[in-house]
């Protein structure tokens, strides 16, 4: 088959079948990320709950200032969720590009 008449998807090589050890390492890494996310979420809830409690006790009639912390820290939490559940593994092409950049630096 002529490479010029095929789509990019057809020209890419299928990923190599990972060994059991590679699959295990990938699974452990993913499970650690999920555990870390759960810890991050728990700390987010506890700290922001404490700040809201402090606000409610000391200045309930004023601006709800814990909202600033909720929103700014929430951005970090959303990025953590994205990293764990939505970001895919890097493609072989992007890995090769990064390796070339690193080679040029050295």
């Amino acid at each position: 088959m002529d490479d010029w008449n095929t789509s990019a998807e057809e020209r890419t090589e299928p990923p190599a079948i990972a060994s059991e050890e590679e699959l295990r390492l990938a699974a452990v890494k993913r499970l650690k990320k999920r555990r870390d996310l759960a810890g991050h979420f728990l700390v987010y809830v506890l700290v922001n709950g404490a700040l809201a409690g402090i606000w409610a006790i000391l200045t309930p009639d004023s601006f709800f200032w814990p909202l600033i912390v909720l929103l700014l820290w929430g951005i970090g939490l959303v990025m953590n969720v994205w990293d764990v559940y939505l970001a895919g593994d890097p493609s072989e092409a992007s890995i090769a590009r990064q390796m070339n950049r690193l080679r040029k630096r050295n």
Side-chain angles (χ1 to χ4, degrees), residues 66-85:
L67 179 65
I68 297 167
V69 178
L70 282 162
L71 293 175
L72 293 176
W73 192 348
I75 293 169
L77 187 60
V78 167
M79 293 308 297
N80 198 341
V81 168
W82 179 79
D83 180 49
V84 171
Y85 291 106

Side-chain angles (χ1 to χ4, degrees), residues 51-52 54-56 58-69 71:
L51 292 175
I54 291 169
W55 169 84
L58 298 178
T59 58
D61 296 331
S62 69
F63 171 72
F64 183 65
W65 53 265
L67 179 65
I68 297 167
V69 178
L71 293 175

Side-chain angles (χ1 to χ4, degrees), residues 9 12 18 29 32 41 46 50 62 69 76 78 82-84 87 101:
E9 294 162 353
T12 59
K29 181 180 175 183
K32 284 181 180 180
F41 182 73
L46 292 174
S62 69
V69 178
V78 167
W82 179 79
D83 180 49
V84 171
R101 285 185 199 118

Side-chain angles (χ1 to χ4, degrees), residues 7-18:
S7 70
E9 294 162 353
E10 293 171 330
R11 283 191 297 252
T12 59
E13 295 180 25
I17 297 174

Side-chain angles (χ1 to χ4, degrees), residues 3-104:
D3 276 343
W4 295 106
N5 294 327
T6 58
S7 70
E9 294 162 353
E10 293 171 330
R11 283 191 297 252
T12 59
E13 295 180 25
I17 297 174
S19 69
E20 286 298 311
E21 183 62 24
E22 290 171 328
L23 287 173
R24 184 181 188 289
L25 290 173
V28 168
K29 181 180 175 183
R30 187 166 179 93
L31 289 170
K32 284 181 180 180
K33 280 186 167 187
R34 286 183 179 184
R35 184 190 62 213
D36 292 345
L37 175 61
H40 186 182
F41 182 73
L42 178 63
V43 171
Y44 175 83
V45 169
L46 292 174
V47 169
N48 285 295
L51 292 175
I54 291 169
W55 169 84
I57 292 169
L58 298 178
T59 58
D61 296 331
S62 69
F63 171 72
F64 183 65
W65 53 265
L67 179 65
I68 297 167
V69 178
L70 282 162
L71 293 175
L72 293 176
W73 192 348
I75 293 169
L77 187 60
V78 167
M79 293 308 297
N80 198 341
V81 168
W82 179 79
D83 180 49
V84 171
Y85 291 106
L86 303 175
D89 292 331
S91 67
E92 287 301 319
S94 64
I95 292 170
R97 282 192 305 270
Q98 186 63 34
M99 288 173 65
N100 286 333
R101 285 185 199 118
L102 292 172
R103 281 188 195 107
K104 288 177 185 176

